[in-house]
Amino acid sequence: MDGDACPVRDEVFRVASRHGLAVTVVSNGSRGVRLPDWVRRVIVAEGADAADDWIAEAVRPNDVCVTADIPLASRCLAAGGLAIAPGGKVWDTDNIGGALAGREVSRHLRETGQETRHAAFGAQNRSRFLEALELVVRTAMRGSPPPPRPLPDFFSD
């Protein structure tokens, strides 16, 4: 788990405990977050992408990475891992390219002085995350990629 500013730590711990899974929280150590005894803590050096680099190098096929960082999610997918955002978005090879492009557009807008904002994180996000995490964990335990989510059919009655 990308531990810097992750709003769903407790949910990850609960699901991992229920399934008997190991959890590693990676951060730069700037936040004194209390973790359960069974959770592995990795503290990396200060630096913009130090935690992301550690995670990307350590992730293995069917490992689950919880991160809001889209480039890190992309690196995890490239390594055969699974990636899920705190809001419940499951990243896959079909949607990560568009997300990376959107991130670059937002970065450009900010550079030109325009504001870009993220919606507040609330109970609905937490619920979506728990549901998606269960699906991703079960998929990882089976050792196969997550099934594609069905698209809504806007043309049927």
Side-chain angles (χ1 to χ4, degrees):
M1 174 185 347
D2 186 354
D4 293 325
C6 183
V8 289
R9 279 187 203 96
D10 292 338
E11 288 79 4
V12 170
F13 301 154
R14 194 171 357 148
V15 171
S17 177
R18 183 170 49 249
H19 291 283
L21 302 174
V23 174
T24 301
V25 176
V26 183
S27 70
N28 65 16
S30 64
R31 301 176 200 271
V33 177
R34 190 172 182 96
L35 301 176
D37 293 338
W38 56 272
V39 172
R40 177 180 177 210
R41 179 190 308 260
V42 172
I43 298 177
V44 297
E46 292 287 330
D49 292 323
D52 296 352
D53 291 343
W54 191 96
I55 293 168
E57 290 173 19
V59 74
R60 299 291 176 258
N62 293 309
D63 282 353
V64 177
C65 178
V66 177
T67 183
D69 186 276
I70 297 168
L72 174 57
S74 178
R75 293 168 71 186
C76 290
L77 291 174
L82 301 131
I84 181 172
K89 178 75 172 180
V90 177
W91 299 111
D92 60 32
T93 55
D94 292 334
N95 64 19
I96 198 70
L100 286 166
R103 181 180 181 274
E104 284 304 306
V105 168
S106 292
R107 183 188 59 76
H108 175 74
L109 290 173
R110 286 190 303 275
E111 286 176 354
T112 61
Q114 298 182 42
E115 272 190 48
T116 59
R117 294 184 182 209
H118 297 285
F121 192 86
Q124 246 185 343
N125 300 95
R126 206 169 295 283
S127 176
R128 260 194 316 271
F129 174 77
L130 277 169
E131 181 181 328
L133 183 61
E134 280 290 340
L135 172 67
V136 169
V137 163
R138 281 189 248 120
T139 299
M141 291 173 73
R142 285 193 309 267
S144 58
R149 293 179 111 171
L151 297 174
D153 185 358
F154 296 108
F155 302 106
S156 65
D157 295 341

